């Protein structure tokens, strides 16, 4: 049995708060990695069409011995496939590669504002939600203005925005906006792609709790009400990253981590100007 806490989304569905991210994990590694994570208790996998590992993820799920209905599966629409008809086609292709007839969460991967297609794309997402083949629909890397635009055009709000977020890039303005709109924030690159693991503030808090830096950072995301999808392909780290439900950071820890926040610590591209 999995002991992941869940968060209830505005559409009534629930998402396990900790999942496994599988970016940069080819098919042949993704399958055993997903099996390892499911055996360790994970019930949430985060992939994307552009990761080119949906087949491996699907295989990992099917051969894990865990029922599909007990697994929360997210995939994402790649930018090249934005547009109404092309979204519907790309979604069918993702399902086929995953070997499943629904996903729990489908995300628009990037707003790609220069393409001017994210509204039409969202209209297709609303259709997929109505059909029940995407149980929940959301976005990734959207700024408030992109979210406001799709809500104005369709009346349907995303349940989640998955954005870059780690202790030294805390996205407080985006989180405040999303909280007001009842949109859950999901943190990508939650460990700062591993670069934050040597941070002395994190190290001190980790020692205080008898935990590793990775566990301390993952716990920080949980204690902030965020959904968090750390990536690892190493079985011991996959297990370590999931042993985070039996301790809590205190006010002093949270205040210390607050001081790490900086607008300058974005790792990935700025979604407003990203040219892909
Ligand atoms: P991450 O912050 O999860 O860091 C992963 C790296 O940290 C690993 O490669 C490993 O080097 C290290 N690591 C992990 N656990 C460790 C441990 N216990 N001890 C020591 N080192 C450890 O980075 P990420 O992969 O960029 O982000 C996580 C997931 O977020 C991705 O796999 C993907 O699913 C998602 N993501 C989404 C977007 C988006 O645009 N929506 C962009 C990037 C990532």
């Amino acid at each position: 049995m999995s002991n992941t806490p869940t968060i209830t989304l505005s559409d009534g569905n629930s998402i396990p708060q900790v999942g496994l991210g599988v970016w940069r994990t080819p098919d042949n590694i993704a399958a055993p990695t997903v099996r390892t994570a499911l055996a360790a208790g994970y019930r949430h996998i985060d992939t994307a069409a552009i990761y080119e590992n949906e087949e491996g993820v699907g295989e990992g799920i099917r051969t894990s011995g865990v029922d599909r209905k007990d697994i929360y599966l997210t995939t994402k629409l790649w930018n090249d496939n934005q547009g109404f008809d092309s979204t519907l086609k790309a979604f069918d292709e993702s399902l086929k590669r995953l070997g499943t007839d629904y996903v729990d969460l489908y995300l628009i991967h990037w707003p790609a504002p220069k393409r001017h297609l994210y509204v039409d794309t969202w209209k297709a997402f609303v259709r997929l939600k109505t059909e029940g083949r995407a149980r929940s629909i959301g976005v990734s890397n959207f700024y408030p203005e992109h979210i406001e635009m799709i809500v104005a055009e369709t009346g349907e709000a995303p349940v989640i925005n998955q954005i870059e977020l780690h202790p030294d890039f805390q996205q407080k303005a985006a989180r405040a906006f999303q909280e007001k709109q009842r949109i859950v924030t999901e943190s990508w690159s939650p460990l700062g792609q591993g670069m934050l693991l040597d941070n002395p503030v994190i190290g001190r808090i980790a020692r205080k709790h008898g935990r590793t830096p990775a566990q301390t950072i993952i716990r920080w995301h949980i204690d902030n009400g965020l959904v968090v999808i750390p990536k690892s392909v190493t079985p011991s780290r996959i297990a370590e990253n999931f042993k985070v439900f039996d301790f809590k950071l205190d006010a002093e820890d949270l205040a210390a981590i607050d001081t790490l926040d900086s607008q300058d610590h974005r790792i990935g591209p700025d979604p407003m100007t990203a040219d892909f």
Side-chain angles (χ1 to χ4, degrees), residues 215-257:
Q215 289 171 326
T216 304
I217 296 173
I218 293 164
R219 189 66 224 186
W220 175 82
H221 290 273
I222 296 172
D223 288 336
N224 277 285
L226 303 162
V227 175
V228 53
I229 45 170
K231 181 227 166 173
S232 179
V233 294
T234 309
S236 58
R237 289 177 173 174
I238 291 172
E240 173 189 324
N241 293 350
F242 202 65
K243 288 185 190 135
V244 288
F245 305 119
D246 57 349
F247 78 113
K248 233 177 151 2
L249 301 185
D250 60 31
E252 191 193 329
D253 305 332
L254 295 173
I257 295 177

Side-chain angles (χ1 to χ4, degrees), residues 197 202 205-207 209-217 240-241 247:
L197 299 171
I202 301 292
I205 298 169
R207 281 193 298 281
H209 290 279
R211 301 288 166 154
T212 66
Q215 289 171 326
T216 304
I217 296 173
E240 173 189 324
N241 293 350
F247 78 113

Side-chain angles (χ1 to χ4, degrees), residues 20-25 46-48 51 76 78 107-110 140-141 162-164 166 187-195 197 212-215 218 229-234 236-238 240-241 267:
L20 178 79
V22 295
W23 185 30
R24 293 175 169 147
T25 311
D46 181 89
T47 186
Y51 300 171
K76 314 184 192 85
W78 186 242
L107 301 177
I108 302 182
H109 207 145
W110 292 84
S140 177
N141 300 304
Q162 184 185 113
I163 54 177
E164 180 178 347
H166 31 86
S187 308
W188 67 251
S189 293
L191 305 173
Q193 297 184 1
M195 289 183 279
L197 299 171
T212 66
Q215 289 171 326
I218 293 164
I229 45 170
K231 181 227 166 173
S232 179
V233 294
T234 309
S236 58
R237 289 177 173 174
I238 291 172
E240 173 189 324
N241 293 350
I267 301 170

Side-chain angles (χ1 to χ4, degrees), residues 10-31:
S10 61
D11 64 5
N13 295 328
S14 307
I15 183 167
Q17 208 175 349
V18 179
L20 178 79
V22 295
W23 185 30
R24 293 175 169 147
T25 311
D27 276 322
N28 64 323
I29 313 275

